[in-house]
Amino acid sequence: MAKTKLIIDTDPGIDDAMAILMAFHSPEVEIIGLTTIFGNVPTSLATHNALHLLEVIGREDVPVAQGCTMSLKNVPKVRIADFVHGKDGLGNTNPSPPKRKALDLSAKEFLLKMINTFPGEVTVVALGPLTNIAMAIRADPMFAKNVKQIVVLGGAFFVNGNVNPASEANILGDPEAADIVFTSGADILVVGINITHQVVMTDDHLKQLGQSESAFAKYVYEISHFYFDYHHEAYDMKGVYLHDPTALAAAVDPLLFTFAEGVVRVQVDGISKGMTIFNNTGKRWGEVTEWCNKPSVKVAVTVDANQITDMLMERLLTDVK
Ligand SMILES: O=c1[nH]c(=O)c2ncn([C@@H]3O[C@H](CO)[C@@H](O)[C@H]3O)c2[nH]1
């Protein structure tokens, strides 16, 4: 079967690094580029880290396109998540400067170019705020039709957020962009923290990675201590949430999830800014609401969590020649 072409829009980030490594050991997909965005780190550092990760992986042929440095409303991210990922985004391991540079094309231009070159063939896995993708949608009305699928890591459906009780970090990073993407009519899978908080890499799994001879396993072991310390402290748990690898798994094998369909709108201001509100009641509302006459998305509602952790472990522990 033909491999799905993937573009990973990313803000690496320790769990982004795990997802990117996992993607390169996933025979189901072919990664045709990385685009970068602010979130876990500022955009310039995301680009630096994306180029560094491709060196670690040995795939310096894969292009990186730098994305927006601010949200659609020209607001820089209020709180870069260095307390989750370290100052350098990779657990304070201080990676050496990458040998390559990003493309001259912006992330938006790269996304448009790839989707127009391969209509119906490219899936975008969005691991950070959705600014680049919203920009592409706004620039070209055909983008939403021609992208094969957009897999979004973001939102908190029927649960609290992880930045505050209302909002999850990626959606809060650019709520206007998220609302544009969710209502664009593209084929969209949304994986929120109601799902990713079920998918855990334990302290024992980390130990196993540390004892392995696999280059990917050793690398993840090195960068992950900071991320584990954060989870020990913030959540009192003996492991970490696998946010980004879970979204990547949805692109590789959506059968590991079940989805409910409905319209998702995003709160763009007020105390619940960034909140994702999903209408799947099936009720015939008596009045016109902001959810009426909008395209639906598929929101993940259940997950085979152990299978995803196993998939990540297996793909990190295996050296692919
Ligand atoms: O700003 C943040 N605050 C968090 O507590 C937090 N926990 C995880 N994350 C990152 O945001 C995405 C999931 O919401 C993932 O990329 C996490 O690394 C966080 N970001």
Side-chain angles (χ1 to χ4, degrees):
M1 218 170 77
K3 294 180 179 223
T4 298
K5 292 180 174 47
L6 275 198
I7 297 175
I8 305 179
D9 189 68
T10 177
D11 55 342
I14 294 165
D15 57 331
D16 297 72
M18 292 179 187
I20 291 167
L21 265 62
M22 175 179 166
F24 279 94
H25 277 183
S26 293
E28 302 86 350
V29 296
E30 173 198 0
I31 295 87
I32 62 168
L34 304 182
T35 53
T36 63
I37 189 65
F38 58 86
N40 295 325
V41 291
T43 307
S44 57
L45 185 52
T47 303
H48 186 291
N49 288 349
L51 290 163
H52 161 74
L53 288 166
L54 290 168
E55 280 177 23
V56 170
I57 294 164
R59 287 298 306 271
E60 286 154 272
D61 56 308
V62 174
V64 175
Q66 176 154 301
C68 302
T69 56
M70 286 197 265
S71 73
L72 291 185
K73 286 185 92 178
N74 278 334
V75 184
K77 190 163 186 256
V78 178
R79 211 163 161 226
I80 287 293
D82 56 359
F83 52 96
V84 182
H85 299 278
K87 279 265 171 253
D88 60 8
L90 295 172
N92 292 338
T93 51
N94 293 316
S96 46
K99 296 188 201 91
R100 267 193 318 152
K101 285 200 166 25
L103 297 175
D104 285 335
L105 294 180
S106 69
K108 176 189 85 175
E109 291 164 341
F110 180 75
L111 285 164
L112 290 170
K113 184 175 170 196
M114 289 300 113
I115 269 68
N116 286 327
T117 308
F118 304 109
E121 290 183 46
V122 180
T123 288
V124 179
V125 180
L127 301 179
L130 292 165
T131 320
N132 293 332
I133 297 154
M135 295 273 285
I137 288 168
R138 282 211 308 207
D140 181 354
M142 289 307 289
F143 182 91
K145 289 195 175 58
N146 284 341
V147 68
K148 181 176 182 188
Q149 191 165 64
I150 304 172
V151 180
V152 174
L153 167 71
F157 296 91
F158 316 119
V159 298
N160 283 142
N162 58 1
V163 178
N164 62 50
S167 60
E168 180 276 332
N170 286 346
I171 303 300
L172 185 61
D174 195 340
E176 283 81 7
D179 197 56
I180 288 173
V181 173
F182 289 147
T183 56
S184 67
D187 182 344
I188 296 181
L189 302 185
V190 191
V191 179
I193 59 172
N194 47 306
I195 292 295
T196 60
H197 279 191
Q198 298 174 50
V199 188
V200 171
M201 178 188 278
T202 64
D203 292 3
D204 286 341
H205 285 124
L206 185 66
K207 220 179 276 172
Q208 208 183 326
L209 294 178
Q211 288 161 356
S212 164
E213 290 305 311
S214 147
F216 279 20
K218 277 182 193 301
Y219 181 78
V220 168
Y221 177 77
E222 291 305 325
I223 64 171
S224 293
H225 300 294
F226 194 98
Y227 194 57
F228 272 75
D229 288 346
Y230 169 72
H231 283 75
H232 294 160
E233 178 70 22
Y235 294 99
D236 213 5
M237 62 193 277
K238 292 188 169 62
V240 296
Y241 295 134
L242 292 173
H243 302 285
D244 296 1
T246 303
L248 200 278
V252 166
D253 186 0
L255 296 176
L256 296 170
F257 301 77
T258 61
F259 297 90
E261 266 192 76
V263 176
V264 172
R265 300 300 310 268
V266 180
Q267 180 66 36
V268 294
D269 53 24
I271 62 164
S272 53
K273 183 173 166 179
M275 187 171 184
T276 42
I277 304 157
F278 177 32
N279 172 35
N280 77 330
T281 62
K283 176 172 183 191
R284 273 180 230 102
W285 302 97
E287 51 197 285
V288 175
T289 77
E290 297 294 342
W291 285 255
C292 289
N293 305 317
K294 298 283 181 199
S296 294
V297 298
K298 297 176 205 109
V299 174
V301 289
T302 69
V303 61
D304 191 336
N306 290 338
Q307 278 269 89
I308 291 178
T309 305
D310 289 350
M311 181 194 271
L312 174 65
M313 288 297 291
E314 198 181 294
R315 291 174 189 209
L316 293 178
L317 288 166
T318 310
D319 258 334
V320 177
K321 297 286 178 234

